[in-house]
Amino acid sequence: MAEKLDKVDVVTVGAGWTGGIIAAECAKEGLKVVGLERGKARGTEDYYMIHDELRYAIRYDLMQDVSKETITFRNESKQRALPMRQLGSFLLGEGLGGAGVHWNGMTHRFLPYDFEIRTKTIDKYGKNKIKKDMLIEDWGVTYDELEPYYDQFEKTCGISGEENPHGGPRSNPYPTPPMKSTPITERARKTAENMGLKPFAIPSANLSEKYENPDGKTINACQYCAFCERFGCEYGAKSDPTITVIPTAKETGNYELRTHSNVVEILHEGGKATGVRYVDVLSGKEYIQPAEVVVLSSYVMNNSKLLLVSNLGTPYNPEKGTGHVGRGYCYQINAGSTGFFEDEQFNTFMGAGSLGIAVDDFNGDNFDHAGLDFIHGGVGSVTQTGKRPIATNPVPPGTPAWGKEFKQKSIHYFTRNLGIGFQGASMPYQYNYLDLDPTYKDAYGVPLLRMTYNFTDQDRQLHSYLSKQATKFIKEMGADIATEAEELGDYNIVPYQTTHNVGGTPMGADPENSTVNNYSQMWEADNVFVLGASTFRHNSGYNPTGTVGALAYRASEGIIRYSKEGGLLV
Amino acid sequence: MAENSSDNKMTRRQFLRNSGYVAGGVVGGGLVGGIVGNQMQSGGAPTQEKPGGKSEKTPQFDHALMYFSQKEDFDVLSQATELIFPADELGPGAIELGVPYYIDKQLAGAWGHNAKEYMQGPFFEGEPTQGYQSRLQRHEIFSQGIRKMKEYSQKKFNAPFLDLEEDQQIDILTAFEKGDIELAGVPNEQFFALLRAATLEGAYADPLYGGNQNMEGWKMKEYPGNKMAYHDVIDSDKFYDEPPSSLHSHMDK
């Protein structure tokens, strides 16, 4: 029998970026907040041995233990979904700070086009540009409305950057200057300029200089040690929730963080949540935490899963096209080209997670799509994130995968290899969705989330277009051999691609096809707020965290208003 | 050697200035007390490591088997890793790097037993896009694969694997790579894929795991290993050719 605890104002499911932002903002306003985090506490002091590729990058020490909980996957509805038994295609977070601990820190804003994608596409290209099973919608919020919240998140993180020439209007410059120029980034910048493109430094949460954020939290200067993605920062030089919003929340005296607390159900009655039920994973004891407001701030997968297992919100039905929980799961495509340089050697093993040069000339609607069989695009980046020797064994096409020739070439090209990668946007489709698996369960007896997903012709066309741009770029950069990304086949859950999963609890203006309004508030339960990239209506051609942070700041404003006024905020 | 090279030596003051510690902002990291102290004060020189990880005085006590039960199985594994990553004019191969011992240790541990992976049934074969669906743990796949290599060697060349010519051994391994040899409970290609991946890990993981002896794998690849900062050199046009350092340097107080 679960033990019932005293009621609090706000409970957050998870304590990463979104749970941390809500906690900090609400606790500052005097609301009593409890954060339930299924993993352990962790922070800068835990990264003494972080420069270990095997432990952290190959064995995923900081990521989700999928022996306890995973998802099932199939490419299409007629297949049998099977468990994702190992991490691969994307790396789910677990523990304090969530995936916000092991992110790279690239902090772009989405384009104004993104938030009004349906209207703008129809206005410019006509209705027929949108294929019949493509479910794109406007988000119910515009870039201009979100701009102050982007600004707020960038200030919390101290983002280092320079203005994106194709970006939406900014109220302020980035809080800190762009990261260092290196021979690799300089070469990329010049190449872009020669090609008539508009390069800019990737907006970075690895900071160019020491910075104190508006909450008084210090983020140190990046040392370019090259252990960023898949690692925590031992310098406290990569903005993450554990050095910013979580300590900010704690200082108020209004925030209680409970780690090892795995939420298994949202309790609700008559269209309102009453609290959550969770398991203390150390003792095995169950608790009920009543709350005035329930904030679903876990990752994309668990947001949809918890709503579905709790029977809260209308589930999406892909055949009828009705409902919304589980609707519009999107991913991204990796287009690009790799260059082999015969006579030049680069310090590819140095770097930082967000060190690099980006071009936005092939993103969003920044280029004309009239003669093209796809919409949207992707940001192109030449990065210097720090190559590591187990994972990086580049060989030109036709080289054997092992033996003498493989050894020699993979060693030779380790420092003679640069690439440009595009993060291609991903559109929602009728048959790409999330629901509950009928067979497999997690360690707590709760059904696993089932993902039905495949790439579409839109993805294939976009991928091919961007890869061709990439090959032109890398040749212009001086590569002797350019190898273009292979054509996109079926989505495969094995090789790592990106942890930019989005959708499942879409944001919108129409309660019929969206889970939340533009304050991340659930239409069907006004004291439940669903945060994070699960509310994205589609995935843009960028890293998502900037937009996740902006939407979370807006949601915090909504929660504070709700706690005074009640009712739907839109 | 290695870590006390003067080019690489950052003064404590430079380091503190770069990272922002001077003006406060002290994080309780593993850094102020440990890493900064080690790396910066003394120049970070570790104890001298012997070439090949061998020493005349002390036997390498960790060169014994914690997973394999038959020496011959381990020798077959060793030879297979050497074929994948052979000694050549660039430097040592898998055996000298300690890769077979690395794999033996890994198979005995969490990775060999799929400890952080979802291993609940029911099991179905699935599509290739659905990934690993075997009920077998990695150590079972390795054991099975090595026994099958021995069997196939007898069948095809009528001789033990270890007695074959190198091109015959390559022949055997290629058959496993292509998935021509039937394995129970796992796709045929899986054994070789795991063997290849584990061999590269053993060649290039931090030496703390038993492979990459004396950082020779990193030296061949011109990979500097664990350096605390490239802040002051990343903007230089010069290729950075300092000798590598390992995580051991953090423990050396």
Side-chain angles (χ1 to χ4, degrees), chain B residues 106-166:
Chain B
Q106 287 290 310
L107 292 178
W111 182 76
H113 290 74
N114 301 50
K116 273 183 76 181
E117 287 157 25
Y118 191 83
M119 294 300 280
Q120 294 177 42
F123 291 92
F124 298 99
E125 199 173 318
E127 299 295 322
T129 57
Q130 293 176 299
Y132 194 92
Q133 294 298 338
S134 174
R135 68 183 66 236
L136 300 185
Q137 298 176 347
R138 289 188 186 88
H139 72 92
E140 297 172 301
I141 298 173
F142 268 86
S143 287
Q144 187 189 168
I146 286 165
R147 295 294 169 89
K148 292 265 164 130
M149 279 175 68
K150 289 159 70 175
E151 282 171 28
Y152 184 59
S153 175
Q154 284 294 351
K155 195 174 140 203
K156 181 150 189 196
F157 296 111
N158 202 23
F161 180 78
L162 294 168
D163 293 351
L164 301 181
E165 298 298 324
E166 192 180 284

Side-chain angles (χ1 to χ4, degrees), chain A residues 48 51-52 75 235 440-441, chain B residues 118 122 129 209 226 228 250:
Chain A
Y48 190 62
H51 287 191
D52 185 338
N75 283 117
Y235 293 110
Y440 295 95
K441 295 197 163 48
Chain B
Y118 191 83
T129 57
Y209 294 97
N226 162 39
M228 287 318 297
H250 291 355

Side-chain angles (χ1 to χ4, degrees), chain A residues 48 51-52 59 73 75 80 83 85 180 210 221 223 235 345 347 389 392-393 401 403 407 440-441 493, chain B residues 18 20 30 84 86 88 106 118 120 122 129-130 133 177 196 201 209 221-222 226 228 230 235 240 250:
Chain A
Y48 190 62
H51 287 191
D52 185 338
R59 301 278 188 264
F73 163 70
N75 283 117
R80 186 203 321 257
R85 297 185 179 278
K180 277 174 174 261
K210 181 173 166 268
Q223 295 303 299
Y235 293 110
Q345 222 173 352
N347 290 319
T392 312
N393 291 286
K407 181 188 173 191
Y440 295 95
K441 295 197 163 48
I493 204 154
Chain B
N18 291 342
I84 291 170
D88 60 10
Q106 287 290 310
Y118 191 83
Q120 294 177 42
T129 57
Q130 293 176 299
Q133 294 298 338
E177 182 192 22
R196 177 187 179 274
E201 288 170 8
Y209 294 97
K221 217 166 180 175
E222 298 177 275
N226 162 39
M228 287 318 297
Y230 296 114
D235 36 15
Y240 180 86
H250 291 355

Side-chain angles (χ1 to χ4, degrees), chain B:
Chain B
M1 58 170 232
E3 297 172 358
N4 57 356
S5 145
S6 61
D7 272 9
N8 185 33
K9 189 164 65 184
M10 194 192 282
T11 66
R12 184 179 175 80
R13 177 182 303 188
Q14 268 171 341
F15 177 81
L16 293 175
R17 190 179 57 233
N18 291 342
S19 63
Y21 282 104
V22 166
V26 171
V27 276
L31 170 62
V32 173
I35 295 168
V36 170
N38 296 339
Q39 288 276 114
M40 303 305 150
Q41 283 169 338
S42 63
T47 48
Q48 181 85 26
E49 281 158 294
K50 300 285 184 290
K54 292 174 195 129
S55 159
E56 275 157 34
K57 285 175 205 151
T58 322
Q60 200 155 353
F61 289 113
D62 60 346
H63 277 191
L65 303 180
M66 61 170 79
Y67 173 73
F68 286 98
S69 54
Q70 291 185 18
K71 178 69 163 43
E72 192 194 341
D73 288 350
F74 180 73
D75 291 341
V76 169
L77 169 80
S78 300
Q79 182 54 22
T81 63
E82 185 71 17
L83 294 171
I84 291 170
F85 199 86
D88 60 10
E89 58 275 22
L90 293 174
I95 291 175
E96 198 183 330
L97 289 169
V99 168
Y101 288 106
Y102 163 83
I103 293 175
D104 178 70
K105 288 177 172 64
Q106 287 290 310
L107 292 178
W111 182 76
H113 290 74
N114 301 50
K116 273 183 76 181
E117 287 157 25
Y118 191 83
M119 294 300 280
Q120 294 177 42
F123 291 92
F124 298 99
E125 199 173 318
E127 299 295 322
T129 57
Q130 293 176 299
Y132 194 92
Q133 294 298 338
S134 174
R135 68 183 66 236
L136 300 185
Q137 298 176 347
R138 289 188 186 88
H139 72 92
E140 297 172 301
I141 298 173
F142 268 86
S143 287
Q144 187 189 168
I146 286 165
R147 295 294 169 89
K148 292 265 164 130
M149 279 175 68
K150 289 159 70 175
E151 282 171 28
Y152 184 59
S153 175
Q154 284 294 351
K155 195 174 140 203
K156 181 150 189 196
F157 296 111
N158 202 23
F161 180 78
L162 294 168
D163 293 351
L164 301 181
E165 298 298 324
E166 192 180 284
D167 55 348
Q168 293 175 316
Q169 291 179 333
I170 289 174
D171 230 53
I172 302 274
L173 217 47
T174 305
F176 281 86
E177 182 192 22
K178 288 184 178 154
D180 293 344
I181 312 301
E182 200 70 31
L183 299 180
V186 64
N188 296 346
E189 298 81 3
Q190 191 76 53
F191 164 60
F192 182 84
L194 281 172
L195 175 66
R196 177 187 179 274
T199 301
L200 292 176
E201 288 170 8
Y204 295 129
D206 191 282
L208 84 91
Y209 294 97
N212 188 15
Q213 290 276 307
N214 200 31
M215 304 182 283
E216 294 294 336
W218 288 349
K219 287 176 196 164
M220 279 187 279
K221 217 166 180 175
E222 298 177 275
Y223 178 68
N226 162 39
K227 301 286 182 194
M228 287 318 297
Y230 296 114
H231 180 277
D232 290 352
V233 288
I234 194 167
D235 36 15
S236 161
D237 280 326
K238 251 181 62 189
F239 185 72
Y240 180 86
D241 57 359
E242 295 299 321
S245 39
S246 76
L247 284 168
H248 175 70
S249 63
H250 291 355
M251 306 301 290
D252 180 35
K253 253 210 142 98

Side-chain angles (χ1 to χ4, degrees), chain A residues 295-310:
Chain A
V295 177
L296 208 40
S297 51
S298 65
Y299 194 66
V300 170
M301 309 299 167
N302 272 354
N303 281 357
S304 280
K305 172 176 163 170
L306 275 174
L307 290 177
L308 290 168
V309 297
S310 308

Side-chain angles (χ1 to χ4, degrees), chain A residues 160-173:
Chain A
S160 301
E162 61 190 4
E163 189 165 343
N164 172 1
H166 287 291
R170 301 178 57 89
S171 54
N172 286 295

